[in-house]
């Protein structure tokens, strides 16, 4: 059993996600998979998390039950949709929205306390990879995170492979996953330019428990190809 997750980022409208989920549910009804499927639409396109063959999670949320946090979405608002999984630490939030490790760790603690399944993203940029300090860097991205949290799913996403069309090599994926397995007992997904062509090879690697897919999850047919790749 692998975990296959689609992160739609700021793509797809509510109408498009509604069509997408209808098609996904229908296809998975006809052709079952043993894998665990998750999708993460934008907040405006969040749907009730009550599908039979996949779960709907949130890409981001603020660490408060509710309150005065303009522009943010809170725990109560996710709970209204039955949402129980959340992406935290994505490199786009770290880089574009300047979320630092302390902020990310606060978010993690709050949603772990609330019993959420947490897709926790980490990954180095090219400079770090070339410097050879990969282990040290990845270790700092776990600061303040309970690596033994039972509902933690780690997503290793090298920044240089996200949205570039160039995924990490199989050797790089395997060796980094093996490094990460010394830091956490949690399942570890790979993310970064995963598509229907490379998914099978990546998912077959030892230590790869699944994939987190961005661009190639935006069309349901492609996402299904990834799900059925193995
Ligand atoms: P990508 O994005 O598949 O488009 O590279 C992956 C991610 O950011 O999760």
């Amino acid at each position: 059993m692998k975990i296959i997750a689609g992160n739609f980022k700021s793509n797809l409208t509510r109408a498009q996600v509604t069509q997408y989920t209808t098609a996904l549910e229908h296809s998975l009804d006809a052709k079952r998979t043993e894998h665990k499927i998750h999708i993460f639409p934008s907040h405006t396109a969040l749907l009730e998390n009550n599908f039979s063959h996949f779960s709907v999670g949130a890409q981001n949320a603020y660490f408060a039950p509710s309150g005065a946090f303009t522009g943010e979405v809170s725990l109560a608002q996710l709970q209204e949709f039955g949402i129980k999984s959340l992406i935290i630490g994505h490199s786009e939030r770290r880089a574009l929205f300047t979320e630092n490790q302390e902020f990310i760790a606060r978010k993690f603690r709050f949603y772990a306390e609330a019993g959420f399944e947490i897709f926790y993203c980490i990954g180095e940029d090219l400079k770090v990879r070339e410097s050879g300090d990969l282990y040290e860097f990845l270790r700092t991205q776990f600061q303040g995170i309970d690596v033994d949290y039972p509902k933690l799913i780690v997503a290793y996403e090298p920044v240089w492979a996200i949205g570039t069309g160039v995924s990490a090599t199989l050797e790089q994926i395997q060796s980094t996953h093996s490094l990460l397995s010394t830091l956490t007992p949690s399942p570890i997904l790979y993310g970064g330019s995963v598509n229907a062509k490379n998914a099978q090879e990546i998912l077959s690697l030892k230590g790869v428990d699944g994939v987190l897919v961005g661009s190639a999850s935006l069309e349901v047919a492609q996402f299904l190809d990834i799900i059925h790749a193995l």
Side-chain angles (χ1 to χ4, degrees), residues 10 16 39 45 54 74 76-77 94 124 134 140 188 201 205 222:
S10 305
Q16 288 170 323
I39 57 161
F54 58 91
S74 67
Q77 292 168 326
R94 292 180 192 259
E124 80 290 356
L134 187 60
T140 63
I188 305 170
E201 282 183 326
L205 290 175
Q222 266 197 69

mmCIF file with all atom_site columns, all heavy atoms in Angstrom, residues 10 16 39 45 54 74 76-77 94 124 134 140 188 201 205 222:
data_model
loop_
_atom_site.group_PDB
_atom_site.id
_atom_site.type_symbol
_atom_site.label_atom_id
_atom_site.label_alt_id
_atom_site.label_comp_id
_atom_site.label_asym_id
_atom_site.label_entity_id
_atom_site.label_seq_id
_atom_site.pdbx_PDB_ins_code
_atom_site.Cartn_x
_atom_site.Cartn_y
_atom_site.Cartn_z
_atom_site.occupancy
_atom_site.B_iso_or_equiv
_atom_site.pdbx_formal_charge
_atom_site.auth_seq_id
_atom_site.auth_comp_id
_atom_site.auth_asym_id
_atom_site.auth_atom_id
_atom_site.pdbx_PDB_model_num
ATOM 1   N N   . SER A 1 10  ? -2.741  26.609 -6.105  1.00 0.00 ? 10  SER A N   1
ATOM 2   C CA  . SER A 1 10  ? -3.790  27.614 -6.366  1.00 0.00 ? 10  SER A CA  1
ATOM 3   C C   . SER A 1 10  ? -4.426  27.397 -7.737  1.00 0.00 ? 10  SER A C   1
ATOM 4   O O   . SER A 1 10  ? -4.729  28.351 -8.458  1.00 0.00 ? 10  SER A O   1
ATOM 5   C CB  . SER A 1 10  ? -3.204  29.015 -6.254  1.00 0.00 ? 10  SER A CB  1
ATOM 6   O OG  . SER A 1 10  ? -2.601  29.169 -4.995  1.00 0.00 ? 10  SER A OG  1
ATOM 7   N N   . GLN A 1 16  ? -14.401 23.083 -11.071 1.00 0.00 ? 16  GLN A N   1
ATOM 8   C CA  . GLN A 1 16  ? -13.477 22.090 -11.646 1.00 0.00 ? 16  GLN A CA  1
ATOM 9   C C   . GLN A 1 16  ? -13.162 20.970 -10.658 1.00 0.00 ? 16  GLN A C   1
ATOM 10  O O   . GLN A 1 16  ? -13.077 19.804 -11.038 1.00 0.00 ? 16  GLN A O   1
ATOM 11  C CB  . GLN A 1 16  ? -12.176 22.791 -12.081 1.00 0.00 ? 16  GLN A CB  1
ATOM 12  C CG  . GLN A 1 16  ? -12.368 23.640 -13.325 1.00 0.00 ? 16  GLN A CG  1
ATOM 13  C CD  . GLN A 1 16  ? -11.158 24.520 -13.610 1.00 0.00 ? 16  GLN A CD  1
ATOM 14  O OE1 . GLN A 1 16  ? -10.506 25.039 -12.705 1.00 0.00 ? 16  GLN A OE1 1
ATOM 15  N NE2 . GLN A 1 16  ? -10.858 24.706 -14.885 1.00 0.00 ? 16  GLN A NE2 1
ATOM 16  N N   . ILE A 1 39  ? -6.461  14.124 -1.903  1.00 0.00 ? 39  ILE A N   1
ATOM 17  C CA  . ILE A 1 39  ? -6.321  15.329 -2.723  1.00 0.00 ? 39  ILE A CA  1
ATOM 18  C C   . ILE A 1 39  ? -6.384  16.559 -1.819  1.00 0.00 ? 39  ILE A C   1
ATOM 19  O O   . ILE A 1 39  ? -7.046  16.558 -0.779  1.00 0.00 ? 39  ILE A O   1
ATOM 20  C CB  . ILE A 1 39  ? -7.383  15.441 -3.846  1.00 0.00 ? 39  ILE A CB  1
ATOM 21  C CG1 . ILE A 1 39  ? -8.793  15.410 -3.252  1.00 0.00 ? 39  ILE A CG1 1
ATOM 22  C CG2 . ILE A 1 39  ? -7.212  14.367 -4.899  1.00 0.00 ? 39  ILE A CG2 1
ATOM 23  C CD1 . ILE A 1 39  ? -9.830  15.981 -4.212  1.00 0.00 ? 39  ILE A CD1 1
ATOM 24  N N   . ALA A 1 45  ? -12.206 25.699 -2.847  1.00 0.00 ? 45  ALA A N   1
ATOM 25  C CA  . ALA A 1 45  ? -12.730 24.512 -3.529  1.00 0.00 ? 45  ALA A CA  1
ATOM 26  C C   . ALA A 1 45  ? -12.809 23.316 -2.588  1.00 0.00 ? 45  ALA A C   1
ATOM 27  O O   . ALA A 1 45  ? -12.946 22.174 -3.032  1.00 0.00 ? 45  ALA A O   1
ATOM 28  C CB  . ALA A 1 45  ? -11.842 24.191 -4.735  1.00 0.00 ? 45  ALA A CB  1
ATOM 29  N N   . PHE A 1 54  ? -11.210 8.214  -1.622  1.00 0.00 ? 54  PHE A N   1
ATOM 30  C CA  . PHE A 1 54  ? -10.083 9.128  -1.375  1.00 0.00 ? 54  PHE A CA  1
ATOM 31  C C   . PHE A 1 54  ? -10.483 10.135 -0.308  1.00 0.00 ? 54  PHE A C   1
ATOM 32  O O   . PHE A 1 54  ? -11.677 10.294 -0.003  1.00 0.00 ? 54  PHE A O   1
ATOM 33  C CB  . PHE A 1 54  ? -9.676  9.859  -2.658  1.00 0.00 ? 54  PHE A CB  1
ATOM 34  C CG  . PHE A 1 54  ? -10.773 10.662 -3.295  1.00 0.00 ? 54  PHE A CG  1
ATOM 35  C CD1 . PHE A 1 54  ? -10.964 11.999 -2.974  1.00 0.00 ? 54  PHE A CD1 1
ATOM 36  C CD2 . PHE A 1 54  ? -11.641 10.070 -4.212  1.00 0.00 ? 54  PHE A CD2 1
ATOM 37  C CE1 . PHE A 1 54  ? -11.986 12.734 -3.557  1.00 0.00 ? 54  PHE A CE1 1
ATOM 38  C CE2 . PHE A 1 54  ? -12.672 10.794 -4.797  1.00 0.00 ? 54  PHE A CE2 1
ATOM 39  C CZ  . PHE A 1 54  ? -12.840 12.134 -4.469  1.00 0.00 ? 54  PHE A CZ  1
ATOM 40  N N   . SER A 1 74  ? -9.333  28.546 9.822   1.00 0.00 ? 74  SER A N   1
ATOM 41  C CA  . SER A 1 74  ? -9.071  27.980 11.148  1.00 0.00 ? 74  SER A CA  1
ATOM 42  C C   . SER A 1 74  ? -9.533  26.527 11.262  1.00 0.00 ? 74  SER A C   1
ATOM 43  O O   . SER A 1 74  ? -10.191 25.998 10.357  1.00 0.00 ? 74  SER A O   1
ATOM 44  C CB  . SER A 1 74  ? -9.802  28.821 12.196  1.00 0.00 ? 74  SER A CB  1
ATOM 45  O OG  . SER A 1 74  ? -11.206 28.646 12.015  1.00 0.00 ? 74  SER A OG  1
ATOM 46  N N   . ALA A 1 76  ? -11.914 25.177 13.151  1.00 0.00 ? 76  ALA A N   1
ATOM 47  C CA  . ALA A 1 76  ? -13.371 24.959 13.115  1.00 0.00 ? 76  ALA A CA  1
ATOM 48  C C   . ALA A 1 76  ? -13.880 24.957 11.676  1.00 0.00 ? 76  ALA A C   1
ATOM 49  O O   . ALA A 1 76  ? -14.788 24.200 11.320  1.00 0.00 ? 76  ALA A O   1
ATOM 50  C CB  . ALA A 1 76  ? -14.077 26.052 13.918  1.00 0.00 ? 76  ALA A CB  1
ATOM 51  N N   . GLN A 1 77  ? -13.246 25.797 10.835  1.00 0.00 ? 77  GLN A N   1
ATOM 52  C CA  . GLN A 1 77  ? -13.707 25.885 9.442   1.00 0.00 ? 77  GLN A CA  1
ATOM 53  C C   . GLN A 1 77  ? -13.336 24.638 8.648   1.00 0.00 ? 77  GLN A C   1
ATOM 54  O O   . GLN A 1 77  ? -14.057 24.243 7.730   1.00 0.00 ? 77  GLN A O   1
ATOM 55  C CB  . GLN A 1 77  ? -13.118 27.147 8.810   1.00 0.00 ? 77  GLN A CB  1
ATOM 56  C CG  . GLN A 1 77  ? -13.713 28.402 9.446   1.00 0.00 ? 77  GLN A CG  1
ATOM 57  C CD  . GLN A 1 77  ? -12.982 29.663 9.070   1.00 0.00 ? 77  GLN A CD  1
ATOM 58  O OE1 . GLN A 1 77  ? -11.759 29.645 8.887   1.00 0.00 ? 77  GLN A OE1 1
ATOM 59  N NE2 . GLN A 1 77  ? -13.705 30.750 8.949   1.00 0.00 ? 77  GLN A NE2 1
ATOM 60  N N   . ARG A 1 94  ? 7.229   28.083 2.838   1.00 0.00 ? 94  ARG A N   1
ATOM 61  C CA  . ARG A 1 94  ? 8.467   28.503 3.509   1.00 0.00 ? 94  ARG A CA  1
ATOM 62  C C   . ARG A 1 94  ? 9.100   29.668 2.751   1.00 0.00 ? 94  ARG A C   1
ATOM 63  O O   . ARG A 1 94  ? 9.530   30.651 3.357   1.00 0.00 ? 94  ARG A O   1
ATOM 64  C CB  . ARG A 1 94  ? 9.473   27.344 3.571   1.00 0.00 ? 94  ARG A CB  1
ATOM 65  C CG  . ARG A 1 94  ? 9.066   26.195 4.494   1.00 0.00 ? 94  ARG A CG  1
ATOM 66  C CD  . ARG A 1 94  ? 10.147  25.109 4.482   1.00 0.00 ? 94  ARG A CD  1
ATOM 67  N NE  . ARG A 1 94  ? 9.743   23.861 5.104   1.00 0.00 ? 94  ARG A NE  1
ATOM 68  C CZ  . ARG A 1 94  ? 10.088  23.482 6.334   1.00 0.00 ? 94  ARG A CZ  1
ATOM 69  N NH1 . ARG A 1 94  ? 10.832  24.248 7.093   1.00 0.00 ? 94  ARG A NH1 1
ATOM 70  N NH2 . ARG A 1 94  ? 9.687   22.313 6.805   1.00 0.00 ? 94  ARG A NH2 1
ATOM 71  N N   . GLU A 1 124 ? 15.584  20.309 0.392   1.00 0.00 ? 124 GLU A N   1
ATOM 72  C CA  . GLU A 1 124 ? 16.690  21.264 0.277   1.00 0.00 ? 124 GLU A CA  1
ATOM 73  C C   . GLU A 1 124 ? 16.673  21.977 -1.062  1.00 0.00 ? 124 GLU A C   1
ATOM 74  O O   . GLU A 1 124 ? 16.101  21.469 -2.034  1.00 0.00 ? 124 GLU A O   1
ATOM 75  C CB  . GLU A 1 124 ? 18.027  20.524 0.455   1.00 0.00 ? 124 GLU A CB  1
ATOM 76  C CG  . GLU A 1 124 ? 18.547  19.782 -0.779  1.00 0.00 ? 124 GLU A CG  1
ATOM 77  C CD  . GLU A 1 124 ? 17.740  18.544 -1.150  1.00 0.00 ? 124 GLU A CD  1
ATOM 78  O OE1 . GLU A 1 124 ? 16.801  18.179 -0.438  1.00 0.00 ? 124 GLU A OE1 1
ATOM 79  O OE2 . GLU A 1 124 ? 18.080  17.930 -2.191  1.00 0.00 ? 124 GLU A OE2 1
ATOM 80  N N   . LEU A 1 134 ? 23.493  18.070 3.457   1.00 0.00 ? 134 LEU A N   1
ATOM 81  C CA  . LEU A 1 134 ? 22.091  17.681 3.337   1.00 0.00 ? 134 LEU A CA  1
ATOM 82  C C   . LEU A 1 134 ? 21.498  17.193 4.655   1.00 0.00 ? 134 LEU A C   1
ATOM 83  O O   . LEU A 1 134 ? 20.432  17.636 5.079   1.00 0.00 ? 134 LEU A O   1
ATOM 84  C CB  . LEU A 1 134 ? 21.975  16.608 2.250   1.00 0.00 ? 134 LEU A CB  1
ATOM 85  C CG  . LEU A 1 134 ? 20.573  16.191 1.877   1.00 0.00 ? 134 LEU A CG  1
ATOM 86  C CD1 . LEU A 1 134 ? 19.777  17.362 1.365   1.00 0.00 ? 134 LEU A CD1 1
ATOM 87  C CD2 . LEU A 1 134 ? 20.602  15.089 0.822   1.00 0.00 ? 134 LEU A CD2 1
ATOM 88  N N   . THR A 1 140 ? 17.411  20.179 10.551  1.00 0.00 ? 140 THR A N   1
ATOM 89  C CA  . THR A 1 140 ? 16.889  21.448 11.073  1.00 0.00 ? 140 THR A CA  1
ATOM 90  C C   . THR A 1 140 ? 15.420  21.634 10.659  1.00 0.00 ? 140 THR A C   1
ATOM 91  O O   . THR A 1 140 ? 14.676  22.324 11.342  1.00 0.00 ? 140 THR A O   1
ATOM 92  C CB  . THR A 1 140 ? 17.686  22.673 10.575  1.00 0.00 ? 140 THR A CB  1
ATOM 93  O OG1 . THR A 1 140 ? 17.567  22.748 9.158   1.00 0.00 ? 140 THR A OG1 1
ATOM 94  C CG2 . THR A 1 140 ? 19.147  22.607 10.956  1.00 0.00 ? 140 THR A CG2 1
ATOM 95  N N   . ILE A 1 188 ? 7.480   7.993  4.341   1.00 0.00 ? 188 ILE A N   1
ATOM 96  C CA  . ILE A 1 188 ? 8.130   9.102  3.635   1.00 0.00 ? 188 ILE A CA  1
ATOM 97  C C   . ILE A 1 188 ? 7.728   9.072  2.159   1.00 0.00 ? 188 ILE A C   1
ATOM 98  O O   . ILE A 1 188 ? 7.965   8.085  1.453   1.00 0.00 ? 188 ILE A O   1
ATOM 99  C CB  . ILE A 1 188 ? 9.665   9.036  3.773   1.00 0.00 ? 188 ILE A CB  1
ATOM 100 C CG1 . ILE A 1 188 ? 10.053  8.991  5.259   1.00 0.00 ? 188 ILE A CG1 1
ATOM 101 C CG2 . ILE A 1 188 ? 10.326  10.243 3.086   1.00 0.00 ? 188 ILE A CG2 1
ATOM 102 C CD1 . ILE A 1 188 ? 11.515  8.681  5.513   1.00 0.00 ? 188 ILE A CD1 1
ATOM 103 N N   . GLU A 1 201 ? 8.656   3.852  -11.379 1.00 0.00 ? 201 GLU A N   1
ATOM 104 C CA  . GLU A 1 201 ? 10.040  3.663  -10.911 1.00 0.00 ? 201 GLU A CA  1
ATOM 105 C C   . GLU A 1 201 ? 10.228  4.217  -9.512  1.00 0.00 ? 201 GLU A C   1
ATOM 106 O O   . GLU A 1 201 ? 10.859  3.593  -8.657  1.00 0.00 ? 201 GLU A O   1
ATOM 107 C CB  . GLU A 1 201 ? 10.997  4.443  -11.822 1.00 0.00 ? 201 GLU A CB  1
ATOM 108 C CG  . GLU A 1 201 ? 11.295  3.788  -13.131 1.00 0.00 ? 201 GLU A CG  1
ATOM 109 C CD  . GLU A 1 201 ? 12.315  4.618  -13.914 1.00 0.00 ? 201 GLU A CD  1
ATOM 110 O OE1 . GLU A 1 201 ? 12.296  5.874  -13.822 1.00 0.00 ? 201 GLU A OE1 1
ATOM 111 O OE2 . GLU A 1 201 ? 13.125  4.002  -14.611 1.00 0.00 ? 201 GLU A OE2 1
ATOM 112 N N   . LEU A 1 205 ? 10.874  2.179  -5.486  1.00 0.00 ? 205 LEU A N   1
ATOM 113 C CA  . LEU A 1 205 ? 12.114  2.297  -4.708  1.00 0.00 ? 205 LEU A CA  1
ATOM 114 C C   . LEU A 1 205 ? 11.889  1.911  -3.248  1.00 0.00 ? 205 LEU A C   1
ATOM 115 O O   . LEU A 1 205 ? 10.854  2.241  -2.669  1.00 0.00 ? 205 LEU A O   1
ATOM 116 C CB  . LEU A 1 205 ? 12.630  3.740  -4.739  1.00 0.00 ? 205 LEU A CB  1
ATOM 117 C CG  . LEU A 1 205 ? 13.176  4.271  -6.052  1.00 0.00 ? 205 LEU A CG  1
ATOM 118 C CD1 . LEU A 1 205 ? 13.509  5.756  -5.906  1.00 0.00 ? 205 LEU A CD1 1
ATOM 119 C CD2 . LEU A 1 205 ? 14.427  3.494  -6.449  1.00 0.00 ? 205 LEU A CD2 1
ATOM 120 N N   . GLN A 1 222 ? -4.494  12.013 -15.668 1.00 0.00 ? 222 GLN A N   1
ATOM 121 C CA  . GLN A 1 222 ? -3.065  11.844 -15.342 1.00 0.00 ? 222 GLN A CA  1
ATOM 122 C C   . GLN A 1 222 ? -2.879  11.331 -13.933 1.00 0.00 ? 222 GLN A C   1
ATOM 123 O O   . GLN A 1 222 ? -2.021  10.491 -13.656 1.00 0.00 ? 222 GLN A O   1
ATOM 124 C CB  . GLN A 1 222 ? -2.360  13.200 -15.447 1.00 0.00 ? 222 GLN A CB  1
ATOM 125 C CG  . GLN A 1 222 ? -1.721  13.444 -16.782 1.00 0.00 ? 222 GLN A CG  1
ATOM 126 C CD  . GLN A 1 222 ? -0.698  14.590 -16.654 1.00 0.00 ? 222 GLN A CD  1
ATOM 127 O OE1 . GLN A 1 222 ? 0.336   14.443 -16.011 1.00 0.00 ? 222 GLN A OE1 1
ATOM 128 N NE2 . GLN A 1 222 ? -1.020  15.710 -17.273 1.00 0.00 ? 222 GLN A NE2 1
#
